[in-house]
Amino acid sequence: MGQETEKYVIRGGKRLEGEVVIAGAKNAALGILAAAVMTDDKVTIENVPNVSDTRTLLKAIENIGASVEFKDEHTVVICGKGVREGQPVDDEYIRKIRASYYLIGALLGKHKYANVALPGGCDIGARPIDLHIKGFEKLGATTQIVSGGSIIAQAKELKGAHIYLDTVSVGATINIMLAASLTPGKTTIENAAKEPHIVDVANFLNTMGASIRGAGTDVIRVRGVEKLHGAEYSIIPDQIEAGTFMAMTVATGGNVLVRNVIPKHLEAISSKLSEMGAHVIEYDDSVRVMADGKLKPTQLKTLPYPGFPTDMQAQIAAILGIADGTSVVTESIFENRFRYVSELARMGAKIRVEGNSAIITGVDKYTGANMTASDLRAGAALVIAALAADGISTIDSIKYIKRGYEEFDKKVSSLGGLMLHAEDERSVMKAKFELASKKIDDDDISTK
Ligand code: UD1
């Protein structure tokens, strides 16, 4: 049963109710797993989300000689002692994840040499890595792109430097932090990204003996140390998985306690959902989201943290599509992030894209349709829309969704949502039949 035939089959109309536990942050995990090979000691990392991106990176780390041992589904012990100097990082999977680039910073710092297959990831725009390269070169490395599409970064000596990032970049900030941790002297990263996962990676590096100050502000100062040592660390919760479940609750007029979150990281999302008419109550490490199905339109622009995250843009647009009025969603980070629009149109959404804005005219209801996920968050948006729709939908190319959501169908089902995973056409038919036989109460109808 190939990945290519897998689908989600969803019947909309059920209010989501209950509790959902959020996994560790995928984007923090990717930086932390790469950083773990920078020491020869054992490192134990807890709360690693079991999603395909983290599994792919772990395979790549293993392939270059590190030992990777799972204590349980979410806890991994890594030992980077066996990582071979000069070993290229390249395999059939690594090019598919963008975060393979963190191995450039990690290996350049550790061995002053990295040879890494150029990153792939979701096709949401040009996504260059010029800022990463500029940072490494400022630290004294030379870089070259070699045939077959790999990058080699190397140096005789690295030396701390002052680096100004022209654009706020999560990846470049983390990558430079990684290399600078083992670079003699002081490195300053100005106009650094401030996302919670930047702080998490910095905290992890500091637990391994690095000296990084200012993560979470736009000036990060790194004092290079000679060696990093073993550590135990637990990854922060995934703000985007949390936000996705919050949006899903609002879409279905539900009432859900979203557990294992840091409410502060969710502020931009919570306040947008509140503006739309939802109630969000914050507790110490959970948020309750309640909605009655009546949604107000709003304006939204994606921005680097603490602004509204681009990784939540599609999910919010999916619910604005059934709000009572016209909304405008502007994407300012990536240029290719409206690919879900044509899929939502199959469900009856009225969305017009003009430049980097989507003008969304709310419709009364979506109707079930067959759709394709074009990237990770676009896929999540289609799931949300399908859960709010009349009738049954299918979503294919769910390999993208699995990159970032752990047991998505099971978590949605535990909240009462009618969502099944189907491996092939036969199980799609079976799933449709099973979902059609479920009872949906009259008062279960979501939105308006
Ligand atoms: C990371 C996240 C991704 C999220 C994004 C923005 C990971 C693995 N992925 O992606 O989920 O959507 O942050 O929050 O953590 N840019 C350049 N040159 C560079 C690097 C980036 O011009 O060298 C530009 C990009 O094209 C984009 C902007 O900077 O317009 C921000 O990108 P960046 O923050 O680097 O995103 P990623 O690290 O790729």
Side-chain angles (χ1 to χ4, degrees):
M1 306 306 151
Q3 270 196 340
E4 304 305 324
T5 58
E6 281 183 299
K7 285 186 170 83
Y8 286 135
V9 185
I10 295 170
R11 180 171 173 208
K14 284 282 276 185
R15 288 178 196 279
L16 296 193
E17 276 169 348
E19 297 184 8
V20 63
V21 179
I22 297 307
K26 170 184 81 87
N27 287 348
L30 295 169
I32 287 171
L33 295 174
V37 303
M38 295 176 71
T39 170
D40 285 346
D41 298 343
K42 272 192 178 175
V43 169
T44 304
I45 305 162
E46 294 167 6
N47 209 27
V48 180
N50 184 2
V51 293
S52 65
D53 268 16
T54 56
R55 292 302 186 254
T56 302
L57 186 60
L58 284 168
K59 273 244 146 54
I61 288 171
E62 218 172 7
N63 284 348
I64 55 169
S67 73
V68 174
E69 182 200 325
F70 281 95
K71 278 175 100 173
D72 59 49
E73 198 190 345
H74 298 117
T75 308
V76 65
V77 182
I78 296 173
C79 181
K81 194 170 179 188
V83 171
R84 293 175 287 272
E85 280 196 60
Q87 168 90 26
V89 181
D90 194 4
D91 62 47
E92 146 185 29
Y93 304 107
I94 196 68
R95 286 172 191 271
K96 297 193 179 138
I97 68 165
R98 174 124 177 113
S100 54
Y101 56 37
Y102 289 142
L103 289 171
I104 312 173
L107 296 175
L108 180 64
K110 187 176 187 187
H111 293 149
K112 300 198 186 64
Y113 179 92
N115 178 344
V116 179
L118 280 174
C122 285
D123 180 14
I124 52 176
R127 307 188 83 175
I129 60 162
D130 56 306
L131 294 169
H132 304 231
I133 291 172
K134 186 176 142 188
F136 298 142
E137 290 182 347
K138 281 261 181 175
L139 295 178
T142 56
T143 60
Q144 93 194 86
I145 309 288
V146 289
S147 63
S150 289
I151 177 165
I152 294 181
Q154 57 189 325
K156 277 211 174 68
E157 293 293 328
L158 291 171
K159 195 167 178 294
H162 190 106
I163 298 163
Y164 177 85
L165 298 177
D166 305 316
T167 306
V168 178
S169 159
V170 170
T173 303
I174 290 181
N175 228 343
I176 295 167
M177 253 178 12
L178 292 172
S181 293
L182 287 176
T183 294
K186 287 184 188 159
T187 296
T188 308
I189 309 169
E190 266 199 79
N191 201 26
K194 297 182 278 206
E195 268 69 1
H197 35 289
I198 306 273
V199 180
D200 210 34
V201 177
N203 285 343
F204 172 64
L205 285 164
N206 284 343
T207 311
M208 289 204 298
S211 173
I212 302 174
R213 302 282 170 267
T217 75
D218 44 25
V219 183
I220 297 180
R221 294 174 210 279
V222 186
R223 195 172 45 79
V225 295
E226 213 172 292
K227 253 178 125 183
L228 297 172
H229 55 69
E232 286 185 17
Y233 195 79
S234 182
I235 294 171
I236 53 164
D238 197 303
Q239 71 181 123
I240 305 300
E241 188 198 8
T244 301
F245 277 97
M246 292 166 77
M248 196 182 279
T249 305
V250 173
T252 64
N255 179 344
V256 170
L257 185 68
V258 184
R259 289 177 47 208
N260 186 33
V261 298
I262 298 174
K264 174 127 193 63
H265 295 170
L266 299 170
E267 268 170 9
I269 300 165
S270 300
S271 84
K272 210 33 88 179
L273 292 174
S274 303
E275 247 176 73
M276 294 172 66
H279 293 286
V280 181
I281 307 168
E282 290 183 3
Y283 303 102
D284 284 350
D285 59 1
S286 58
V287 289
R288 179 171 292 285
V289 181
M290 292 175 284
D292 62 6
K294 292 194 182 60
L295 297 171
K296 287 184 261 182
T298 188
Q299 317 290 314
L300 180 158
K301 184 175 183 183
T302 63
L303 287 169
Y305 191 83
F308 192 88
T310 172
D311 285 353
M312 276 299 298
Q313 185 257 102
Q315 299 91 312
I316 296 291
I319 47 179
L320 288 173
I322 42 173
D324 193 12
T326 300
S327 305
V328 179
V329 169
T330 303
E331 173 59 56
S332 74
I333 313 283
F334 293 112
E335 70 271 26
N336 198 9
R337 256 199 148 161
F338 289 125
R339 291 172 65 195
Y340 59 86
V341 167
S342 54
E343 298 304 299
L344 284 183
R346 295 171 192 268
M347 307 187 97
K350 289 207 175 110
I351 306 177
R352 198 176 75 246
V353 177
E354 279 182 18
N356 64 346
S357 293
I359 294 103
I360 306 174
T361 310
V363 296
D364 265 5
K365 271 232 142 222
Y366 290 139
T367 41
N370 299 329
M371 296 171 286
T372 301
S374 57
D375 63 66
L376 166 57
R377 307 303 172 185
L382 301 183
V383 170
I384 292 172
L387 286 165
D390 264 349
I392 292 182
S393 299
T394 62
I395 299 171
D396 56 31
S397 292
I398 65 169
K399 62 177 184 202
Y400 292 114
I401 303 177
K402 288 174 148 189
R403 297 177 64 149
Y405 292 92
E406 178 176 322
E407 304 208 304
F408 206 20
D409 48 316
K410 292 204 179 84
K411 286 189 180 182
V412 170
S413 302
S414 76
L415 296 172
L418 301 178
M419 173 170 176
L420 292 172
H421 173 263
E423 298 245 317
D424 52 25
E425 275 314 315
R426 231 183 116 198
S427 28
V428 168
M429 295 308 292
K430 227 176 109 199
K432 282 184 175 170
F433 189 73
E434 187 182 328
L435 293 180
S437 68
K438 299 273 185 205
K439 187 172 168 333
I440 294 185
D441 298 334
D442 284 348
D443 71 348
D444 235 331
I445 304 302
S446 56
T447 67
K448 294 185 209 161

